[in-house]
Amino acid sequence: MEHGSFTDETKSTFSMADEDHTLANSIRYTLNQDPRVTFCGYSIPHPSDNRVNIRVQTTGDPAREVLKDACQNLMAVCQHVRNTLDKAVLDHKLTKPVGDINIK
């Protein structure tokens, strides 16, 4: 859900249900890497409330588009990490000698 002004699309607060610090901090970090972002922060209204509010202010682009770009960048980073991990696990399995198990 987006809370913002109808006249100024450069400032908005996005409310995400069923999320916590894990996703919010990752999005905040990704948004702060974008030169179009002048301010980004998040809050959790109450510890028992499974909701995160992310505030985005930009230099001129619509905040909704900048957030969308940040989410796509974050997904690309996660995919790169996953691919790198999968490759490392496969390389380890291929280089591990078959009779290298010591059972005591």
Side-chain angles (χ1 to χ4, degrees):
M1 177 183 301
E2 180 179 357
H3 307 282
S5 170
F6 292 115
T7 58
D8 188 2
E9 294 183 340
T10 65
K11 303 171 191 163
S12 289
T13 300
F14 302 90
S15 186
M16 297 182 181
D18 297 326
E19 295 300 341
D20 59 11
H21 290 283
T22 305
L23 180 66
N25 196 40
S26 299
I27 291 174
R28 181 201 57 80
Y29 176 81
T30 305
L31 279 165
N32 280 323
Q33 302 303 310
D34 192 328
R36 299 175 295 173
V37 174
T38 57
F39 173 81
C40 175
Y42 76 91
S43 66
I44 296 180
H46 191 275
S48 66
D49 189 10
N50 241 3
R51 178 171 305 281
V52 171
N53 295 326
I54 300 176
R55 176 71 175 178
V56 181
Q57 293 176 215
T58 68
T59 58
D61 293 343
R64 179 186 299 120
E65 294 302 316
V66 174
L67 177 65
K68 183 176 130 184
D69 292 346
C71 289
Q72 289 173 339
N73 289 342
L74 184 58
M75 287 190 306
V77 168
C78 290
Q79 188 62 48
H80 173 72
V81 170
R82 178 62 188 254
N83 291 341
T84 302
L85 176 66
D86 289 345
K87 183 183 180 311
V89 168
L90 182 60
D91 290 347
H92 176 73
K93 286 181 179 180
L94 292 176
T95 59
K96 181 180 174 185
V98 176
D100 194 27
I101 299 174
N102 293 328
I103 300 175
K104 295 182 180 182

